[in-house]
């Protein structure tokens, strides 16, 4: 079974600084997707960034970037120029590549609570 | 962008009653929908995978007779919590994948269920 581990229950960063959230995962699959989701107090799940395992290039989305190390099964999220609106729970998630059978929901880590200090 | 509508957003019910939660994809067809449960300050746990026109696939430890899932059309999946008890109180979230099998998933806004 796949597992996703986020070892930082809480992180705090000064506004405008950079913070990195860590995530490791375990899988025997070679083709899969990794995600970072943001869950603000509204509890709406918001996709931050997505990485396909077969792509060596790290995904980036504006101030958000990942460091994907496939051999180490590590997938960290870097947030640059942190803003107050970035404060939220961040979940790392894994999914096997589309199998056609439909049984491929997301496996989430336990989450990291990110606090932005003004 | 794609929208998934989930309602009700909040429901309070008495122990022993049944509650139905709806998840609709508003501007796309969803062959597959997923149901998650999130306890306070915890992560999302996959409960079941719902494929249009077929029986849902439940994760280990999830009682299929208690959590009835119906996916009768390409735009609607429902989760019915039967004979709800206080321990079923939780935040339930659905997500939908568009027809075609791409990797994009869209989440509903969730339903907070409180069983008295």
């Amino acid at each position: 079974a796949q597992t996703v581990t986020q070892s930082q229950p809480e992180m705090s960063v000064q506004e405008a600084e950079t913070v990195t959230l860590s995530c490791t995962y375990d899988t025997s699959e070679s083709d899969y997707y990794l995600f970072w989701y943001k869950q603000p107090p509204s509890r709406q799940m918001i996709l931050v960034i997505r990485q396909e395992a077969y792509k060596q290039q790290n995904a980036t989305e504006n101030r958000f970037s990942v460091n994907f190390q496939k051999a180490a099964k590590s997938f960290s999220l870097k947030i640059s120029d942190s803003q107050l609106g970035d404060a939220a729970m961040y979940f790392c998630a894994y999914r096997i590549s589309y199998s056609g059978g439909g049984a491929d929901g997301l496996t989430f880590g336990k989450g990291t609570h990110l606090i932005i200090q003004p | 962008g794609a929208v998934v509508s989930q309602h009700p957003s909040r429901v309070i019910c008495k122990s022993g009653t049944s509650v139905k939660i709806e998840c609709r994809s508003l501007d796309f067809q969803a062959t597959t929908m997923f149901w998650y449960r999130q306890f306070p300050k915890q992560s999302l746990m996959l409960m079941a995978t719902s494929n249009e026109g077929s029986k849902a696939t439940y994760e280990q430890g999830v009682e299929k007779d208690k959590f009835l899932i119906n996916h009768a059309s390409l735009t609607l999946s429902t989760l019915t919590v039967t004979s709800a008890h206080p321990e079923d109180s939780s935040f339930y979230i659905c997500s939908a994948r568009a027809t075609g099998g791409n990797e994009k998933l869209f989440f509903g806004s969730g339903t907070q269920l409180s069983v008295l």
Side-chain angles (χ1 to χ4, degrees):
Chain A
Q2 299 85 8
T3 58
V4 178
T5 302
Q6 293 179 250
S7 59
Q8 306 153 316
E10 186 173 281
M11 290 284 284
S12 181
V13 64
Q14 290 288 130
E15 192 176 4
E17 296 295 310
T18 296
V19 63
T20 298
L21 308 184
S22 64
C23 172
T24 59
Y25 59 95
D26 189 24
T27 182
S28 58
E29 302 289 336
S30 60
D31 195 12
Y32 49 88
Y33 297 102
L34 295 165
F35 307 83
W36 278 98
Y37 280 92
K38 170 184 178 181
Q39 188 180 42
S42 68
R43 293 195 285 187
Q44 175 71 54
M45 296 296 287
I46 301 168
L47 177 64
V48 174
I49 202 163
R50 178 179 68 243
Q51 174 82 43
E52 292 93 336
Y54 64 87
K55 290 186 177 179
Q56 292 187 332
Q57 186 173 7
N58 290 324
T60 62
E61 287 286 343
N62 301 312
R63 297 184 295 108
F64 300 88
S65 61
V66 297
N67 183 3
F68 174 47
Q69 301 290 327
K70 190 172 184 179
K73 295 180 181 175
S74 170
F75 183 62
S76 61
L77 174 70
K78 185 171 81 171
I79 305 174
S80 303
D81 185 25
S82 298
Q83 300 175 0
L84 294 177
D86 295 333
M89 283 292 293
Y90 285 81
F91 292 99
C92 179
Y94 162 100
R95 182 173 77 81
I96 64 172
S97 183
Y98 181 61
S99 65
D104 51 354
L106 293 170
T107 299
F108 287 89
K110 291 187 175 183
T112 297
H113 181 210
L114 179 63
I115 299 168
I116 309 296
Q117 304 279 6
Chain B
V3 175
V4 173
S5 173
Q6 183 176 344
H7 77 273
S9 58
R10 182 178 296 272
V11 58
I12 301 172
C13 70
K14 293 182 178 180
S15 184
T17 61
S18 294
V19 174
K20 180 184 284 188
I21 302 169
E22 291 190 350
C23 181
R24 292 181 184 273
S25 56
L26 297 185
D27 52 359
F28 67 97
Q29 292 184 325
T31 49
T32 305
M33 290 187 176
F34 304 91
W35 288 94
Y36 297 86
R37 180 167 55 185
Q38 185 178 29
F39 290 110
K41 299 187 184 300
Q42 294 190 25
S43 187
L44 283 76
M45 299 297 294
L46 180 66
M47 298 176 66
T49 301
S50 164
N51 290 298
E52 186 266 336
S54 62
K55 290 183 178 181
T57 301
Y58 290 81
E59 295 299 303
Q60 192 172 9
V62 178
E63 300 176 59
K64 62 180 181 180
D65 293 331
K66 181 168 190 60
F67 299 99
L68 300 179
I69 291 173
N70 183 279
H71 193 162
S73 77
L74 284 173
T75 59
L76 174 65
S77 177
T78 61
L79 168 66
T80 301
V81 183
T82 62
S83 186
H85 288 96
E87 57 266 30
D88 298 324
S89 298
S90 185
F91 189 64
Y92 293 87
I93 310 175
C94 70
S95 72
R97 180 170 63 222
T99 303
N102 65 55
E103 75 284 7
K104 292 188 177 179
L105 299 172
F106 305 96
F107 280 85
S109 54
T111 298
Q112 178 62 52
L113 170 64
S114 300
V115 184
L116 304 178

